[in-house]
Amino acid sequence: MRKTLYILFEYIRSAGLSLLVIVVISALAMSGLTVSTGRIASETEKYDKLRNSGLSDCFYGSRIKPAANLTEKIKTVNGVVEIIKRPDTVNFKPNDGSDGLFSMKLLTKELYECANLNFKGSGFDYDSNDLECIIASEYFNKYSIGETLSVKIPAKKNGEYITADFQIKGIVKTPQSVLSMSGGGSSVDASMIYEDASFIIVKDCEALRDLAGGSITKSYLETFFIRFDNKLTEKEKTEAIDELSKYLTLQTVDEVLKTTKEQVKETVSSFLPVIIFCVLYSILTLVGMEILILYKTSEETAVCRCLGMSKARLASTVCIAKAVTIIVSFALCCIINRLFYSIPAVSSGTVYHARLLVPALILGVFEIIIAVVISVVAAAKKSVKSSYERV
Amino acid sequence: MHQIEIRKLNKTYRSDKIENLVLKDIDLDIEKGEFVAVIGKSGCGKTTFLNILGTLDDFDNGEYLLDGEPVKEMSDKQKARIRSGKIGFVNQDFMLLPNRTAYENVTLPLYFGKSDLSDMKKKAEGVLKTVDCFELSKKKIKHCSGGQKQRIAIARALIIDPEIILADEPTGALDSENTAEILKYLRKINKENGVTVIIVTHDPDVASACSRTIMIEDGRIVR
C-alpha cells in the first residue's frame, strides 16, 4: 500500500502541469458535453411532448408581461375553454415532493360536459398541498360539507377520462363565495380571488396532478395552452385572441412545433462544435497528454522499476492516478455545470436535472478506459523498458 | 554454489522484421563478494547483459541461476522483490529524482521493499556517511554535482543491504577525480560489506581497478 501511495504521489507530482491541464480540460469537456447534450435533450423533449400532447387544436401562449390578475382576464375572454398553465419552475416550490407542476382550467366546457356535476366553470390550481377548483357561484349552494363529488376529467391524450373524487371539506365564505373541499386540512389563500366563482380546495388528487404534470413542457416563462370552444365564430375567436394577445404571445401548437423543431436543429448545430471538441479531446488530447505524462514520468518509472516495482503494480498505480484525475475532473465538472445552471438561458428545461451529468460520467469512464489501456500497454511495457534502456 | 550462474544464455531484440542477437551463448559464474568489470565496445550487449542480471530484462533461452534460483521461472513480482531486496543499481545517469532531496532519494528503496521504516532515518544517515554525503541530506538532487549524485546513488543502492550492486557505467559522466572516488567507495563496499559488485564500463582504467574483467564482443564473452 505504501508503495502504491508513494508512487501515486510521485507520479502526480512529476506529471505536474500536464496533469493539471488534463484535469482542467477534462472538466471543461465534461461540462461542455453535459450542457450541450442537456440542451439538445431539453429541446427534443419539449418537441416530443408537444407533439404527443394531443393539444394540436390549442394555442400556446407565453406571458409577455406581469399581470397579477391574468387568470381573471383570461377567464373573462369569451370562448376560452381551457387553459393549462405551467409556472416558473424556479419560483414555484411545492412542499409535497411533487415536481412543481400545476394546471389551471377555467370555464372548461369539456369539464362541464363530462363532469357529473354541472360545473359551469371550474378551475384547478395548486397551492401548497392543495389543488383548487373553481366553480361558478350559482352552483355553490347545491353542495354540502362531507359530500363526495365525482368528476371526470379529460386525460392528457386521446380523449380518455380520469375520474377524480373530491370531498367537500368545508365551505369558506369570501366575497366571491368560496367553497372549500378537501380530503384533509386545507386553507384558502384569500389573495387568490376568482371573480364570480366559488373556490374548491382539493387535496391529494393524483389524477389532477397527473393531468397537470404529464401533458406539457417546462419553460422558463409561464406558458399556457388555450383551447377555444368549437362553437365560437371566427369573429369571436379573433376577438378572444386579440384580448389575450395583450397578455400572452399566442402561437398555434403547429407553429410552436415548427419553431421547436428549428430550435432543436439550431441547438444541435450550435453545440456541435462543443460535442466535436469533446470527442476530439478524448481521442487526441487525452491520448497525447497521457503519452506526454508517461514521457515526463519515464525517469521515475525507470527508477521505480529498478527499485523493485513490478510492471503490474506500476501500471495499476498509474491507473489509480488516472482515476484520481478523473474524479477531480468530475468534481470540477459539477462545479462548472452549477455555474452554467445559474445562467437562465442554460438552466431552462430539463438541463437543470443532475441526471444530465450522465454524459460527463460517460466521458469520464471513457477517459479512464483510455488511461488504463495506455498505462497498461505503454507504462508496463514499452515506456518502462525504453526508459530504462535510455538510461 | 555460485551466486550467479549463467549457462548458454541468449538474448535477441526484435524490431519489425529485423532480429538482432545481442547475447550469444553466454556462460558465466560469479562468486559472492567478487568485484567484476564487464567491458566491451558500445553496442556489444553490456547493458543488456546487466539488465538481465538485474532481472529487468528477460532472456530468450539458456539458464540464469541467482543464488541457485532459476530467474527464468520467476514471476514479474518475484523479480521485483529481488530487485527491491537483493540488488542495488547504480547508473551513469544516476537515476535519481531530481526534485527530491538526497535523503528522500536514498530512502526511496525502503518504500519498495519489506523494510521496517522505523529505523529509516538511521539507515539513511549510515549509508550517506559511508559515501561521505551526510551533509547533502537536505539538498535537492538537481543542486548536486555529478560526483555527489553518483555517491548518493550508491548510498541509495546500499540502503537495502544488497548482496549485489550492478553499476552501469557509473563513472561515465564523471571526471577522473570523481571516477577515482566512486571506485574507492565501490571497492570499500565490496571489501567491508562483502557485496558483489559488477561494473559495466568501457573505461580500461575502471576495469583495471576490478579484481576480474569480463570482455564481451559481439554478444559473446571472449575473456
Side-chain angles (χ1 to χ4, degrees):
Chain A
M1 187 62 183
R2 69 185 185 193
K3 198 186 289 186
T4 302
L5 284 175
Y6 190 92
I7 295 307
L8 189 63
F9 178 70
E10 196 55 48
Y11 174 85
I12 290 171
R13 198 173 185 272
S14 183
L17 190 63
S18 307
L19 206 62
L20 186 69
V21 170
I22 273 199
V23 169
V24 172
I25 296 180
S26 285
L28 285 173
M30 286 174 174
S31 297
L33 201 66
T34 301
V35 172
S36 52
T37 52
R39 288 292 294 155
I40 291 166
S42 170
E43 298 290 348
T44 310
E45 192 181 342
K46 183 180 172 186
Y47 177 79
D48 289 342
K49 279 196 170 180
L50 268 174
R51 197 183 53 191
N52 299 326
S53 65
L55 297 170
S56 57
D57 58 338
C58 289
F59 279 82
Y60 183 83
S62 303
R63 183 183 282 215
I64 53 176
K65 60 181 177 182
N69 59 349
L70 182 62
T71 343
E72 188 184 324
K73 293 284 182 191
I74 292 169
K75 187 169 70 69
T76 58
V77 173
N78 184 31
V80 174
V81 294
E82 185 176 14
I83 294 174
I84 304 167
K85 180 188 172 190
R86 294 293 293 248
D88 179 340
T89 52
V90 175
N91 296 327
F92 187 75
K93 300 281 182 192
N95 56 9
D96 66 342
S98 64
D99 63 355
L101 310 173
F102 74 97
S103 73
M104 178 174 287
K105 292 172 182 288
L106 295 173
L107 299 172
T108 308
K109 186 171 180 293
E110 283 178 36
L111 273 182
Y112 172 76
E113 287 174 346
C114 71
N116 294 337
L117 298 168
N118 286 328
F119 278 11
K120 186 175 180 181
S122 71
F124 300 109
D125 205 340
Y126 193 94
D127 179 37
S128 297
N129 291 324
D130 303 320
L131 285 164
E132 300 160 359
C133 179
I134 300 167
I135 63 169
S137 57
E138 58 190 280
Y139 296 102
F140 177 72
N141 291 326
K142 289 184 179 179
Y143 312 119
S144 57
I145 293 169
E147 190 177 344
T148 300
L149 308 174
S150 186
V151 181
K152 284 203 287 184
I153 302 155
K156 58 186 176 184
K157 290 180 195 173
N158 56 40
E160 290 175 3
Y161 291 96
I162 299 165
T163 303
D165 291 325
F166 306 150
Q167 190 181 30
I168 300 172
K169 185 230 175 188
I171 297 169
V172 180
K173 298 283 185 186
T174 73
Q176 285 74 38
S177 305
V178 172
L179 170 67
S180 175
M181 303 165 56
S182 176
S186 64
S187 63
V188 176
D189 184 351
S191 66
M192 298 187 71
I193 307 284
Y194 294 86
E195 213 176 344
D196 296 320
S198 300
F199 204 34
I200 301 173
I201 309 295
V202 182
K203 191 170 183 179
D204 299 329
C205 181
E206 291 299 329
L208 282 180
R209 287 183 191 165
D210 288 347
L211 178 70
S215 59
I216 47 178
T217 65
K218 284 182 178 178
S219 171
Y220 185 68
L221 294 170
E222 290 187 34
T223 55
F224 302 82
F225 282 90
I226 298 166
R227 182 179 286 147
F228 291 97
D229 191 330
N230 289 335
K231 289 175 184 169
L232 285 183
T233 63
E234 280 304 312
K235 191 188 171 198
E236 286 170 327
K237 209 172 185 176
T238 310
E239 281 173 1
I241 291 172
D242 287 346
E243 180 62 25
L244 286 172
S245 296
K246 292 175 187 172
Y247 311 99
L248 302 168
T249 302
L250 283 179
Q251 285 177 290
T252 64
V253 168
D254 282 343
E255 283 171 343
V256 178
L257 271 173
K258 197 178 169 188
T259 312
T260 312
K261 201 170 185 178
E262 288 300 318
Q263 278 171 347
V264 173
K265 278 184 190 169
E266 213 171 278
T267 311
V268 170
S269 59
S270 64
F271 279 107
L272 206 57
V274 179
I275 293 172
I276 289 171
F277 165 76
C278 293
V279 174
L280 281 181
Y281 160 75
S282 298
I283 295 170
L284 297 175
T285 316
L286 187 66
V287 173
M289 293 299 280
E290 293 290 343
I291 290 169
L292 180 63
I293 286 181
L294 280 174
Y295 175 76
K296 284 183 74 175
T297 55
S298 60
E299 192 83 359
E300 285 74 12
T301 310
V303 173
C304 294
R305 284 274 289 139
C306 279
L307 298 184
M309 195 147 196
S310 66
K311 289 173 186 174
R313 174 69 71 94
L314 200 56
S316 64
T317 307
V318 172
C319 290
I320 292 170
K322 297 295 173 222
V324 170
T325 308
I326 299 304
I327 289 165
V328 173
S329 304
F330 195 70
L332 268 182
C333 164
C334 292
I335 294 167
I336 293 169
N337 284 350
R338 194 70 207 113
L339 294 177
F340 273 127
Y341 290 158
S342 63
I343 305 167
V346 180
S347 68
S348 66
T350 49
V351 79
Y352 202 66
H353 293 296
R355 68 185 156 90
L356 286 174
L357 281 172
V358 169
L361 197 61
I362 292 169
L363 188 62
V365 171
F366 182 46
E367 287 183 15
I368 289 178
I369 292 169
I370 288 178
V372 168
V373 171
I374 291 176
S375 302
V376 170
V377 174
K381 293 186 177 175
K382 291 179 184 172
S383 292
V384 175
K385 202 167 167 182
S386 61
S387 60
Y388 180 73
E389 281 163 3
R390 189 166 54 80
V391 297
Chain B
M1 184 178 66
H2 308 290
Q3 187 174 33
I4 291 170
E5 202 173 327
I6 293 173
R7 296 284 175 270
K8 300 286 178 198
L9 185 144
N10 290 286
K11 170 73 180 173
T12 307
Y13 280 128
R14 293 176 182 84
S15 57
D16 298 328
K17 289 173 184 173
I18 304 165
E19 284 197 0
N20 185 16
L21 186 60
V22 285
L23 294 175
K24 300 163 197 166
D25 294 331
I26 301 288
D27 280 311
L28 179 70
D29 294 327
I30 296 176
E31 304 301 330
K32 187 170 169 54
E34 271 197 277
F35 195 60
V36 182
V38 179
I39 59 169
K41 290 178 186 169
S42 288
C44 71
K46 301 189 299 287
T47 298
T48 303
F49 180 59
L50 200 76
N51 288 352
I52 290 172
L53 289 180
T55 73
L56 283 163
D57 238 346
D58 291 326
F59 50 94
D60 300 327
N61 48 55
E63 197 173 34
Y64 169 23
L65 302 177
L66 184 61
D67 289 328
E69 296 288 326
V71 172
K72 188 81 178 168
E73 291 166 20
M74 289 179 189
S75 66
D76 193 44
K77 203 173 175 181
Q78 284 172 308
K79 288 179 194 168
R81 206 172 294 143
I82 283 178
R83 288 197 299 275
S84 65
K86 206 176 254 189
I87 301 173
F89 289 86
V90 179
N91 287 78
Q92 182 178 357
D93 288 348
F94 321 119
M95 283 177 62
L96 297 165
L97 304 178
N99 290 311
R100 293 302 189 105
T101 63
Y103 175 82
E104 287 168 334
N105 269 279
V106 165
T107 53
L108 184 61
L110 298 178
Y111 290 94
F112 288 78
K114 300 282 179 193
S115 316
D116 181 10
L117 297 182
S118 59
D119 58 347
M120 184 169 73
K121 197 176 174 191
K122 200 176 157 190
K123 274 187 180 173
E125 283 174 7
V127 292
L128 282 167
K129 277 176 186 168
T130 306
V131 291
D132 298 323
C133 283
F134 181 64
E135 71 284 0
L136 302 174
S137 292
K138 290 177 182 170
K139 201 171 180 182
K140 284 192 175 176
I141 296 301
K142 62 184 176 187
H143 298 135
C144 294
S145 69
Q148 288 171 333
K149 284 178 187 171
Q150 200 57 294
R151 280 188 280 152
I152 292 165
I154 293 171
R156 186 187 61 186
L158 282 179
I159 201 161
I160 57 166
D161 294 325
E163 292 174 19
I164 302 167
I165 284 185
L166 299 176
D168 189 3
E169 302 276 10
T171 58
L174 305 177
D175 57 25
S176 56
E177 195 182 327
N178 279 308
T179 298
E181 237 183 39
I182 293 302
L183 283 174
K184 182 185 85 182
Y185 289 120
L186 289 173
R187 206 177 294 122
K188 182 180 166 189
I189 293 158
N190 172 250
K191 277 191 178 172
E192 292 177 6
N193 302 15
V195 176
T196 307
V197 177
I198 302 171
I199 301 175
V200 162
T201 183
H202 61 266
D203 184 344
D205 291 340
V206 173
S208 63
C210 299
S211 54
R212 181 182 165 195
T213 303
I214 296 163
M215 183 178 245
I216 297 180
E217 216 173 86
D218 295 330
R220 291 179 193 278
I221 292 179
V222 293
R223 195 174 69 200

